[in-house]
Amino acid sequence: MPDLLLELRSEEIPARMQRKAAGDLRKMLTDGLVEAGLTYEAAREYWTPRRLTLDIRGLNARSKDIHEDIKGPSTSAPEQAVQGFLRKAGLSSIAEAHVHSDPKKGDFYVAHISKPGRAAEEIIAGLMPDIIRNFPWPKSMRWGPASAKPGALRWVRPLQSILCTFGPETEEPVVVDFEIDGIRSGNITYGHRFLAPGEITVRRFDDYVSKLEAAKVVLDADRRKEIILADARNLAFANGLDLVEDEGLLEEVSGLVEWPVVLMGEFEEAFLAIPAEVIRLTIRANQKCFVTRSQGESEALSNRFILTANIEAKDGGKEIAHGNGKVVRARLSDALYFWTTDQGDLPDLVELEASAKKFGLDLKKPLDQRMARLDHLNVTFHAKLGTQGERVERIARLAEELAPIVGVDPALARRAAVLAKADLTTEVVGEFPELQGAMGRKYALLQGDHKSVARAIEEHYKPQGPSDRVPNDPISIAIALADKLDMLVGFWSIDEKPTGSKDPYALRRAALGVIRVLIENGSSLRLTKILQEQWMNWSHTRSAAEFARPLETIASAKKAGFDVGDPQDEKSVITTIAAQMFDKNSIEQDLDLHMGVIVPDLLSFFHDRLKVYLRDQGARHDLIDAVITPRSDDLLQIVRRVEALGSFLDTEDGKNLLAGTKRAANILAAEEKKKTAVAETVAPALFRQDAEKSLFAAVNQAEKQAGEAIQNEDFSAAMLALSVLREPVDSFFEHVLVNDEDLSVRANRLALLTRIRTATGQVADFSKIAG
């Protein structure tokens, strides 16, 4: 069967766009081919900085002829129905339709549609101009004289040539001819821009790859990555060093070169005084180079780096390495300045005294100064959620409340919370935002803070994704929880919740972070109480102001008829208006009302994220639903209940008890629907069968023991306690007729079934379990 080779060659495509663009090209073309009636055996995309390539194998030479009957309305149908049928069938008049008869339905119209197949070349030529013109680049451009014309072609960078050949291996392939904005397809491509820029005539994929390789172009991006990584490791090893590997950088660098040549550069050892993270980021971000370290060293970097050139230089790359070294030295000089400046005193210390007093900061310490400045400058966290300083105060309060729960000194927890955001105003983090937290830890250690405090400053952002590790130091746990819970409560309070696929503030990630921190550290926390307290922390400081915010300027307040007096600044207007708008009691009632809505809704959000987390861990969805109730607020307890329930139901006792319990629940549901009388309590005097007596005794025992086990959070013991019900339940249903003719006996037996449901319901809602 024929194969298709397609190449779109342009100026350099940004590395971050290449992989997705190649995938988009494959999907757009193959979808179009399939929709046109063609099939193919395999398709694979390739990319380099200057070309997107598609290799499609086993493509049909021609689409099949189509014969289709489209049934229409009755011949007596109204004109509107007939016209709809004509549009659907593509007929110009009803005379082109045929009339069929049915003994039951009478005469009706049928359109016999016949469409001859088309050659694959014709289909491809029809698809490609639209694909190119409507290609989903994140950013695109126009170029040349044609760019001034309406509807001019847009591409990520100027499109230079199109190669498109089609044919079987045993025959000479043909060029699929099409043209777009003056660029006509052909069988010509070009090699490396500098090393082999001449024309290359191509027949099919195999000789295309080999000829490009001879012209200094490695087509396969994964192979370029392998070459870069292997050569970088070998070059580092030959110089007594180890390569610090970086998969993200390797992916990017492989998209910058068509013919990778690995070289080594160096910088002065004096720059090694800068933290390793800063050196690595500086060299990575500005020069796309890898750093190295001495062999056997886990942290200390060397003063040599690995770069990847796109050319084989006559001098072996010495000048290229020297030039890169000059740029790296300049960048590291900036980084050294940032690092040194962050450890010195700020020039405006006098202005920071009020903020320092508020947070208990020591202005002799550089990181404390940065926190004081963050508060003093009133840096906004969110327009409706106040400043970073206000947020830090809320986090600090919550951290103190959480400290006894996780077993740490509240003073240390508060200290870590107060300094957690301090590095946001440092020079290094200003240059490299991805180092927030990490630099805070380093600066905290340099100024003599407790190691756990410093660690918490870095780790309170974690986990930042499903593959990120969870903090396990108790202080880190407290600050990580406080930070994420404050964010969730705050955004819920202003009704900025995730909707559909939109989650601009990463609140799903924050909730999943809380879940993972609690579960993976075995920490038990009653979320309802914590959420309520944090809601009150937020609302008491901001609610009145938020009510008055539309009238926060002096002019708007006076226009609305409020007596604002003679305020010293605009901010005091809010307080003045709020005092006139609301009295304390009405505000308290309003806050209680909001809390009654927000906290259950946020708890439900946690339940949804927990379900996703547990399903990813392999838990059965029906067991999760059976355990979670709207009031379940201890996430660790939910997980342990699910685990214990799953283990119990894997046993014979569990399976049989489930069957009996569901039977009891079904009978109760049916009788309750019929409004059959059910006794409020079980009366042993009405028992007529030994099976009733045995079940009653077993339920009393199981209910008591299971309740005690749940109080002790021993859910395996609770399941064991329920297991004694298995035989009495089986015996009851075997020997006892629930719907006895005596109404009082029937009501008593239904009450006994209610006791079964109540006893098992302490652990889970068995009616929601499959099986």
Side-chain angles (χ1 to χ4, degrees):
M1 294 180 72
D3 301 329
L4 173 67
L5 170 63
L6 172 69
E7 179 200 76
L8 304 177
R9 189 179 65 89
S10 68
E11 295 289 344
E12 276 71 10
I13 306 168
R16 68 183 183 279
M17 299 182 188
Q18 293 167 17
R19 183 182 290 272
K20 182 180 184 303
D24 288 340
L25 178 62
R26 175 181 56 79
K27 185 177 189 307
M28 293 175 77
L29 183 53
T30 54
D31 285 355
L33 294 173
V34 171
E35 188 176 343
L38 299 176
T39 61
Y40 61 95
E41 294 177 358
R44 184 176 175 185
E45 68 271 25
Y46 299 86
W47 61 92
T48 78
R50 299 181 65 216
R51 64 200 81 219
L52 301 178
T53 299
L54 199 56
D55 174 30
I56 300 181
R57 301 293 176 94
L59 184 64
N60 295 132
R62 187 177 183 84
S63 62
K64 294 181 179 179
D65 296 340
I66 297 175
H67 300 285
E68 182 182 7
D69 291 342
I70 300 178
K71 186 178 178 181
S74 167
T75 55
S76 59
E79 182 62 21
Q80 187 176 0
V82 173
Q83 291 302 318
F85 164 64
L86 293 178
R87 286 193 297 271
K88 179 181 177 182
L91 302 180
S92 57
S93 73
I94 199 62
E96 297 177 9
H98 296 76
V99 177
H100 288 206
S101 296
D102 184 278
K104 294 181 179 179
K105 297 182 179 179
D107 294 343
F108 58 91
Y109 293 115
V110 175
H112 300 306
I113 306 299
S114 294
K115 293 181 181 179
R118 293 189 295 159
E121 300 98 296
E122 179 188 344
I123 294 172
I124 296 165
L127 290 172
M128 283 310 304
D130 284 340
I131 290 175
I132 293 172
R133 195 171 291 280
N134 298 305
F135 201 81
W137 291 109
K139 292 184 179 181
S140 58
M141 62 179 290
R142 296 176 296 181
W143 63 94
S147 64
K149 299 177 182 178
L153 174 65
R154 301 184 68 94
W155 199 246
V156 63
R157 296 292 185 269
L159 188 62
Q160 295 178 328
S161 67
I162 301 171
L163 181 151
C164 192
T165 65
F166 179 72
E169 293 184 9
T170 55
E171 299 176 14
E172 189 68 19
V174 299
V175 171
V176 178
D177 184 43
F178 60 91
E179 181 264 343
I180 180 167
D181 273 30
I183 304 172
R184 185 165 291 279
S185 59
N187 61 350
I188 302 295
T189 189
Y190 298 81
H192 191 282
R193 179 189 291 276
F194 305 111
L195 302 176
E199 287 188 2
I200 302 171
T201 302
V202 176
R203 298 175 65 248
R204 54 178 53 86
F205 183 76
D206 291 339
D207 73 304
Y208 168 76
V209 173
S210 60
K211 287 180 178 179
L212 278 182
E213 189 95 13
K216 306 297 184 181
V217 175
V218 178
L219 181 67
D220 189 341
D222 289 333
R223 184 160 166 260
R224 292 198 303 275
K225 288 172 67 174
E226 291 170 3
I227 292 170
I228 294 168
L229 184 58
D231 289 355
R233 286 171 175 169
N234 292 337
L235 183 56
F237 183 78
N239 286 272
L241 303 168
D242 285 333
L243 177 72
V244 178
E245 296 184 15
D246 185 330
E247 177 61 30
L249 179 59
L250 182 61
E251 172 79 13
E252 184 176 9
V253 169
S254 71
L256 297 175
V257 297
E258 289 194 319
W259 189 254
V261 178
V262 174
L263 305 170
M264 179 173 281
E266 64 179 321
F267 55 86
E268 287 78 4
E269 290 189 357
F271 289 120
L272 295 177
I274 306 170
E277 298 93 332
V278 179
I279 294 175
R280 184 174 177 180
L281 264 177
T282 300
I283 294 176
R284 184 190 198 277
N286 294 294
Q287 288 304 104
K288 313 303 179 188
C289 297
F290 298 87
V291 294
T292 62
R293 58 183 169 224
S294 301
Q295 289 181 354
E297 294 283 345
S298 59
E299 294 291 339
L301 299 183
S302 80
N303 66 323
R304 296 188 177 183
F305 60 91
I306 301 291
L307 62 112
T308 308
N310 191 34
I311 191 171
E312 292 177 343
K314 294 179 180 178
D315 64 353
K318 291 182 181 179
E319 194 60 34
I320 295 173
H322 177 69
N324 275 266
K326 287 173 65 176
V327 178
V328 165
R329 281 190 287 277
R331 297 297 187 182
L332 288 177
S333 294
D334 292 341
L336 182 59
Y337 169 78
F338 297 147
W339 168 247
T340 305
T341 301
D342 283 342
Q343 295 173 67
D345 288 338
L346 292 172
D348 53 350
L349 286 182
V350 176
E351 298 176 12
L352 307 180
E353 290 179 356
S355 293
K357 184 177 180 181
K358 183 197 305 184
F359 288 99
L361 298 168
D362 182 355
L363 290 182
K364 294 178 182 178
K365 296 181 176 181
L367 194 60
D368 289 51
Q369 294 177 22
R370 268 65 188 176
M371 178 57 223
R373 171 178 272 188
L374 183 68
D375 179 65
H376 173 71
L377 294 177
N378 288 320
V379 177
T380 300
F381 168 64
H382 184 281
K384 294 182 179 180
L385 294 177
T387 66
Q388 286 281 9
E390 291 170 334
R391 181 163 189 256
V392 167
E393 179 57 39
R394 293 196 302 269
I395 293 172
R397 284 189 204 170
L398 182 55
E400 288 180 294
E401 294 173 20
L402 293 172
I405 298 173
V406 297
V408 295
D409 181 354
L412 284 178
R414 180 174 179 81
R415 174 67 176 169
V418 166
L419 294 181
K421 309 296 181 182
D423 65 355
L424 294 177
T425 58
T426 61
E427 299 289 336
V428 171
V429 172
E431 181 71 12
F432 302 111
E434 53 269 58
L435 286 180
Q436 62 184 353
M439 296 313 301
R441 176 180 185 172
K442 286 188 176 296
Y443 292 142
L445 290 173
L446 283 173
Q447 69 179 25
D449 273 292
H450 193 285
K451 288 183 179 180
S452 290
V453 169
R455 186 175 179 182
I457 294 172
E458 179 178 23
E459 293 185 337
H460 83 280
Y461 292 105
K462 295 181 177 294
Q464 293 188 308
S467 59
D468 195 14
R469 70 176 183 84
V470 166
N472 53 23
D473 183 279
I475 295 181
S476 298
I477 292 171
I479 310 308
L481 289 173
D483 178 62
K484 294 169 179 58
L485 289 171
D486 175 75
M487 178 174 286
L488 288 161
V489 171
F491 281 106
W492 243 253
S493 300
I494 61 173
D495 199 28
E496 289 281 359
K497 297 176 283 189
T499 56
S501 61
K502 294 181 180 180
D503 187 10
Y505 303 110
L507 300 181
R508 292 189 181 98
R509 186 175 71 186
L512 182 58
V514 171
I515 290 166
R516 288 189 59 203
V517 168
L518 291 173
I519 292 172
E520 295 177 29
N521 284 296
S523 300
S524 186
L525 183 68
R526 291 291 181 184
L527 278 177
T528 299
K529 181 174 181 293
I530 294 297
L531 294 175
Q532 288 174 345
E533 290 176 353
Q534 195 62 8
W535 156 251
M536 296 307 291
N537 282 341
W538 180 86
S539 59
H540 273 302
T541 58
R542 304 199 59 78
S543 60
E546 289 304 322
F547 284 130
R549 190 161 299 283
L551 304 170
E552 63 184 343
T553 66
I554 295 173
S556 60
K558 288 182 176 179
K559 186 176 180 180
F562 286 97
D563 178 13
V564 297
D566 185 21
Q568 297 299 311
D569 54 56
E570 295 280 337
K571 289 182 184 178
S572 63
V573 176
I574 299 175
T575 306
T576 305
I577 299 170
Q580 295 176 57
M581 289 176 70
F582 303 99
D583 60 40
K584 183 177 179 181
N585 291 333
S586 65
I587 290 176
E588 291 294 336
Q589 291 171 5
D590 185 77
L591 293 181
D592 289 343
L593 179 63
H594 278 73
M595 183 172 69
V597 174
I598 288 170
V599 172
D601 188 48
L602 186 50
L603 190 60
S604 175
F605 181 71
F606 273 109
H607 290 166
D608 291 340
R609 305 320 301 162
L610 179 61
K611 289 177 183 179
V612 173
Y613 172 80
L614 290 176
R615 286 168 190 164
D616 289 344
Q617 301 297 313
R620 284 170 46 182
H621 69 88
D622 58 331
L623 301 191
I624 302 169
D625 291 338
V627 166
I628 291 181
T629 71
R631 295 177 301 280
S632 300
D633 65 348
D634 189 329
L635 304 182
L636 180 64
Q637 189 181 98
I638 293 171
V639 173
R640 288 178 174 168
R641 281 177 183 256
V642 171
E643 291 172 349
L645 183 59
S647 298
F648 177 58
L649 293 178
D650 285 339
T651 66
E652 201 63 32
D653 281 345
K655 292 173 184 175
N656 288 335
L657 179 59
L658 173 62
T661 303
K662 288 176 78 72
R663 184 176 177 183
N666 291 337
I667 293 172
L668 279 171
E671 295 305 317
E672 287 169 349
K673 188 175 182 180
K674 292 187 289 186
K675 298 184 179 180
T676 304
V678 179
E680 292 185 5
T681 59
V682 178
L686 293 174
F687 291 157
R688 296 181 177 178
Q689 303 279 347
D690 289 340
E692 292 177 275
K693 299 175 184 177
S694 298
L695 178 58
F696 182 61
V699 167
N700 286 334
Q701 176 187 341
E703 196 169 36
K704 179 183 177 183
Q705 293 180 350
E708 291 172 351
I710 290 170
Q711 283 291 106
N712 297 325
E713 297 192 4
D714 187 347
F715 301 107
S716 296
M719 297 299 170
L720 184 63
L722 292 181
S723 66
V724 303
L725 291 174
R726 178 224 169 148
E727 289 186 11
V729 168
D730 289 346
S731 178
F732 177 85
F733 284 118
E734 183 178 351
H735 298 101
V736 177
L737 176 64
V738 175
N739 288 329
D740 194 89
E741 293 181 359
D742 188 326
L743 296 181
S744 60
V745 172
R746 178 190 299 182
N748 195 56
R749 288 173 178 173
L750 289 173
L752 188 53
L753 296 188
T754 303
R755 289 289 303 279
I756 297 174
R757 185 170 63 182
T758 303
T760 56
Q762 294 179 99
V763 175
D765 184 348
F766 276 55
S767 67
K768 294 182 178 179
I769 302 174

